[in-house]
Amino acid sequence: MAQPDTKKIFFENLSGAGKAIAVLTSGGDAQGMNAAVRAVVRMGLYVGAKVYFIHEGYQGMVDGGENIKEATWESVSSMLQVGGTVIGSARCKEFRSHEGRLKAAHNLVLQGITNLCVIGGDGSLTGANLFKEEWSGLLTELVEQDLIEADAVQKYSALHIVGMVGSIDNDFCGTDMTIGTDSALHRIIEVVDAIMTTAQSHQRTFVLEVMGRHCGYLALVSALACGADWVLIPEMPPEDGWEDKMCQKLSANRAGMKRLNIIIVAEGAIDHSNKPITTDYIKNLVVKCLGFDTRVTILGHVQRGGTPSAFDRILASRMGVEAVLALLETTANTPACVVSLCGNQSVRLPLMECVQMTQEVQRAMDGKRFEEAVKLRGRSFENNLKTYKLLAHRKPETELPTSNFNVAVLNVGAPAAGMNAAVRSAVRVGISEGHKMFAVSDGFEGFYKGQIKEIKWADVGGWTGQGGSLLGTKRTLPAKHVEKIAEQMRENNINALLIVGGFEAFLSLLELITARGKYDEFCVPMVMVPATVSNNVPGSDLSVGADTALNAITTTCDRIKQSASGTKRRVFIIETMGGYCGYLASVGGLAAGADAAYIYEEPFDIKDLQANVEHLTEKMKTSIQRGLVLRNENCNENYTTDFIYQLYSEEGRGVFDSRKNVLGHMQQGGAPSPFDRNFGTKISAKAMQWVTKKLVESFRQGRVFANTEDSCCLLGMRRRALVFQPVVQLKGETDFVHRIPKEQWWLKLRPLMKILAKYKTSYDVSDSGQLEHVVRNRPKESDASVAL
């Protein structure tokens, strides 16, 4: 399973010829399962394997017959945007029996299937592992019963299993995110945002029940994303007397002119005696103690429904391709593995190690070892809980430390969804740590004009769900006004800066660190949180705002493709934002099922354009009705969107017609996605904690003085970790002319998009997942997870 480091292995080195792979979905459904099925089928066919659908999960495997069908390329078309699972899922009691598994083994051998890709929860995956362990014995029994030939035992001697976890609860240990979780969060946040408007109108309290019988992830993260007043989860029951504390908090918030209260409850919420805490109990409590107008909303299966988010489509597509690669590399001695996400990387983990740790969580909860249960959930879960407590529950003034430091927060560059969540987090964490927080309006333009004022805890209430920049943001760089900015720093006694923004924010820090030689006012800790839809900031794999933009692109592409439903064959040319960075076009193309995506980082010429047109023409003649081509706005100065549209229109004449659409600033607008709300919240909290540490370290003889490189940093997500990086050291990694990093991780996803669009291309698998063991404690910074 391990990959050699000395050279890169390309797809051509792997062969699936003669292999038969079957894919099934089992247990509960989850948005994104279809994207995973599609990826398994197309990658399997791409490497030369036969691929089969097993309809209705394990029940279909036991029943056999028409439930096991060979899949074609076209049979997974138009399913990427569909929720649920189109091949069906069912719970099967018969498979739990030896006789049921014997029937299933017989049906698989009849089709020559010895490679199974199972998409489901821990129960489904445990069943698959048992099936694998019994396989040779089952074949022997089938020979004894004259159901298969004796040579079949040798021919089909080993069953290979690779799992992917499809569960909206995110309750499986070993992966930061399970397929369907992000989409479920979208449904919850859509409802919460809608409820907030009616609650504010009537000064109401709303109690929302979300799914999570054994896991409080959805409740916790949605509470963090909407700034809920109180959250109740099974892993951390409230302390005795919580009812009084909750009512005091609700009352204080209402007295502080907050017109609504939101309480989020996981369906499995319990108290310290393992007694369920129900929504009706909470409603009656609030009405009795406070007399507030209170309503209950139970979201139920709404959370499982709807179209999958961009994140889930990309996650499922990456996992599906990785699952096929894992099956190609298995040997008779390879344990069943599960494809997981750690940070921003695919990893393979032994299936049963993950299952056992998942079961340990439940045992810890049953034994009332709740702190252990939280730790077992992983650093991401633990970090979410700590951050929520830090931001939602303000300590009394008497309990706050007094640092006597003044910290300024500002936005720089173009607006990005999630900026407000980042500012809210910075302000509240700063206040919790004893600082006086100052808000700067309109970036450095407002800074030199003196648009600086103190900002307090209540001032940022309700900011997480707001799009754009409530502080105001400009692209103005500080160099031209550095003297006036230094004067404002001195007048307001600013001891540290936290900047939330994009490439301009990065350039601003470089200018300020240069200005330290002339102005001591800039010899203070300075940190940047990357926030831009373009995702072009060096030093970070992801930026706040990019996920919301991706969802806007994906949703629009879905609607555009649907607009051609029932019409003649049509190709859509879509222009995306991003400057010279092709992230939105490439990753958006993967999420939307694009046939091509033109970007600056991957030069193309007229021959490439012609080849793409011919490729689409062939596909249109045989199968698909709609094509999708994305173009990054600055990918080529001559091959404009109009040019490409006219080329496709002319060359496709008689086979398909073309339409074009420039998405424009709609990619920057709208309410932030759950991912961006939480990524902005957590990364900004971490940045402010770094600021506090640096302030203490650099305070000497009654003043703050910090002029080392590591006192001016960018906080970015790198692979599996959040890392503070001196901006000076990032200069060598930056293409300043085109405002992009010199190396970009997402370029490795480009071949994946092409493979799923039926192009023949090389796929570099040297960076694919390697079999690792589950560890309880990830590296110290791995709570950086991309998984919210």
Side-chain angles (χ1 to χ4, degrees), residues 504-521:
E504 288 86 359
F506 173 64
L507 295 176
S508 297
L509 282 184
L510 289 174
E511 291 183 358
L512 291 179
I513 203 168
T514 301
R516 281 177 169 179
K518 191 173 181 182
Y519 301 97
D520 281 354
E521 287 81 3

Side-chain angles (χ1 to χ4, degrees), residues 476-547:
T476 307
L477 298 178
K480 292 181 181 178
H481 311 285
V482 70
E483 186 176 348
K484 289 182 179 178
I485 294 170
E487 186 180 320
Q488 291 295 334
M489 292 274 288
R490 187 168 57 254
E491 285 183 11
N492 290 280
N493 190 27
I494 302 298
N495 305 120
L497 288 179
L498 189 150
I499 303 173
V500 181
F503 202 86
E504 288 86 359
F506 173 64
L507 295 176
S508 297
L509 282 184
L510 289 174
E511 291 183 358
L512 291 179
I513 203 168
T514 301
R516 281 177 169 179
K518 191 173 181 182
Y519 301 97
D520 281 354
E521 287 81 3
F522 299 119
C523 293
V524 296
M526 294 185 280
V527 67
M528 172 188 164
V529 170
T532 168
V533 301
S534 301
N535 198 34
N536 63 332
V537 177
S540 189
D541 291 348
L542 290 171
S543 297
V544 176
D547 183 72

Side-chain angles (χ1 to χ4, degrees), residues 337-631:
C337 74
V338 61
V339 178
S340 299
L341 182 76
C342 180
N344 201 25
Q345 287 186 284
S346 293
V347 296
R348 301 174 195 167
L349 300 171
L351 191 154
M352 290 314 295
E353 286 186 21
C354 296
V355 169
Q356 285 159 10
M357 188 173 284
T358 303
Q359 292 169 347
E360 272 189 58
V361 178
Q362 191 58 50
R363 283 194 289 270
M365 288 163 61
D366 291 341
K368 300 184 181 180
R369 303 189 308 276
F370 297 111
E371 288 187 8
E372 182 184 340
V374 169
K375 286 189 181 339
L376 287 169
R377 281 278 180 230
R379 286 190 178 275
S380 181
F381 188 94
E382 195 175 3
N383 194 35
N384 280 320
L385 188 56
K386 287 178 182 175
T387 307
Y388 175 78
K389 287 179 178 179
L390 195 62
L391 298 176
H393 302 295
R394 185 183 184 185
K395 292 179 180 177
E397 297 284 345
T398 53
E399 294 182 23
L400 290 174
T402 51
S403 68
N404 296 319
F405 292 125
N406 295 344
V407 181
V409 182
L410 65 158
N411 293 336
V412 176
M419 274 185 163
N420 296 322
V423 171
R424 169 186 176 267
S425 177
V427 168
R428 291 197 169 179
V429 172
I431 291 171
S432 295
E433 302 199 343
H435 309 319
K436 187 179 281 189
M437 301 300 297
F438 287 82
V440 182
S441 300
D442 297 333
F444 282 107
E445 187 172 312
F447 211 136
Y448 83 80
K449 291 178 180 177
Q451 295 171 209
I452 305 167
K453 65 176 183 179
E454 186 178 354
I455 186 166
K456 302 203 171 172
W457 186 281
D459 295 336
V460 292
W463 279 34
T464 51
Q466 299 292 315
S469 167
L470 293 173
L471 285 184
T473 182
K474 294 285 179 69
R475 296 179 183 270
T476 307
L477 298 178
K480 292 181 181 178
H481 311 285
V482 70
E483 186 176 348
K484 289 182 179 178
I485 294 170
E487 186 180 320
Q488 291 295 334
M489 292 274 288
R490 187 168 57 254
E491 285 183 11
N492 290 280
N493 190 27
I494 302 298
N495 305 120
L497 288 179
L498 189 150
I499 303 173
V500 181
F503 202 86
E504 288 86 359
F506 173 64
L507 295 176
S508 297
L509 282 184
L510 289 174
E511 291 183 358
L512 291 179
I513 203 168
T514 301
R516 281 177 169 179
K518 191 173 181 182
Y519 301 97
D520 281 354
E521 287 81 3
F522 299 119
C523 293
V524 296
M526 294 185 280
V527 67
M528 172 188 164
V529 170
T532 168
V533 301
S534 301
N535 198 34
N536 63 332
V537 177
S540 189
D541 291 348
L542 290 171
S543 297
V544 176
D547 183 72
T548 304
L550 276 178
N551 278 286
I553 292 167
T554 305
T555 301
T556 306
C557 287
D558 286 350
R559 290 176 179 174
I560 286 172
K561 287 200 292 185
Q562 191 180 46
S563 72
S565 180
T567 67
K568 59 182 179 179
R569 295 179 174 91
R570 184 165 288 168
V571 174
F572 296 95
I573 318 295
I574 312 292
E575 182 184 299
T576 67
M577 281 180 141
Y580 286 96
C581 180
Y583 176 81
L584 291 180
S586 295
V587 183
L590 180 59
D595 296 278
Y598 301 116
I599 62 171
Y600 165 77
E601 293 91 343
E602 195 173 280
F604 59 97
D605 56 23
I606 194 68
K607 292 179 182 177
D608 297 313
L609 290 169
Q610 184 64 36
N612 292 152
V613 173
E614 291 172 359
H615 181 78
L616 257 175
T617 303
E618 285 303 308
K619 284 170 68 175
M620 288 284 187
K621 286 178 180 177
T622 57
S623 56
I624 67 167
Q625 300 292 314
R626 296 170 296 255
L628 185 65
V629 175
L630 271 62
R631 178 189 177 274

Side-chain angles (χ1 to χ4, degrees), residues 169-203:
D169 292 331
N170 203 31
D171 56 354
F172 192 80
C173 292
T175 185
D176 287 340
M177 206 72 157
T178 57
I179 296 168
T181 303
D182 186 65
S183 301
L185 285 170
H186 273 258
R187 300 295 92 78
I188 294 168
I189 294 305
E190 285 164 11
V191 171
V192 173
D193 285 351
I195 279 175
M196 279 185 166
T197 57
T198 182
Q200 283 179 325
S201 301
H202 299 278
Q203 294 198 52

Side-chain angles (χ1 to χ4, degrees), residues 689-704:
Q689 289 166 338
W690 176 90
V691 166
T692 300
K693 181 185 173 190
K694 288 293 179 184
L695 283 169
V696 173
E697 289 176 357
S698 58
F699 186 70
R700 297 288 183 275
Q701 298 176 335
R703 60 169 291 196
V704 172

Side-chain angles (χ1 to χ4, degrees), residues 227-245:
D229 298 89
W230 204 268
V231 65
L232 293 153
I233 60 173
E235 291 89 347
M236 188 54 69
E239 298 173 0
D240 292 339
W242 65 273
E243 293 94 338
D244 292 337
K245 289 182 181 178

Side-chain angles (χ1 to χ4, degrees), residues 155-285:
K155 189 176 180 181
Y156 305 116
S157 59
L159 178 68
H160 305 297
I161 301 285
V162 173
M164 287 182 274
V165 188
S167 166
I168 68 167
D169 292 331
N170 203 31
D171 56 354
F172 192 80
C173 292
T175 185
D176 287 340
M177 206 72 157
T178 57
I179 296 168
T181 303
D182 186 65
S183 301
L185 285 170
H186 273 258
R187 300 295 92 78
I188 294 168
I189 294 305
E190 285 164 11
V191 171
V192 173
D193 285 351
I195 279 175
M196 279 185 166
T197 57
T198 182
Q200 283 179 325
S201 301
H202 299 278
Q203 294 198 52
R204 280 183 176 150
T205 296
F206 269 87
V207 184
L208 273 76
E209 181 184 284
V210 301
M211 283 186 168
R213 193 172 299 121
H214 304 293
C215 179
Y217 185 88
L218 289 179
L220 177 58
V221 174
S222 56
L224 197 55
C226 71
D229 298 89
W230 204 268
V231 65
L232 293 153
I233 60 173
E235 291 89 347
M236 188 54 69
E239 298 173 0
D240 292 339
W242 65 273
E243 293 94 338
D244 292 337
K245 289 182 181 178
M246 185 185 75
C247 288
Q248 288 169 11
K249 170 97 184 289
L250 299 178
S251 181
N253 284 348
R254 193 64 67 89
M257 303 305 291
K258 187 175 180 182
R259 293 180 60 84
L260 78 155
N261 302 113
I262 299 286
I263 302 165
I264 296 183
V265 187
E267 62 179 328
I270 53 174
D271 62 18
H272 268 280
S273 302
N274 282 345
K275 180 184 174 184
I277 300 174
T278 66
T279 50
D280 283 336
Y281 175 75
I282 295 169
K283 174 191 172 182
N284 295 335
L285 178 70

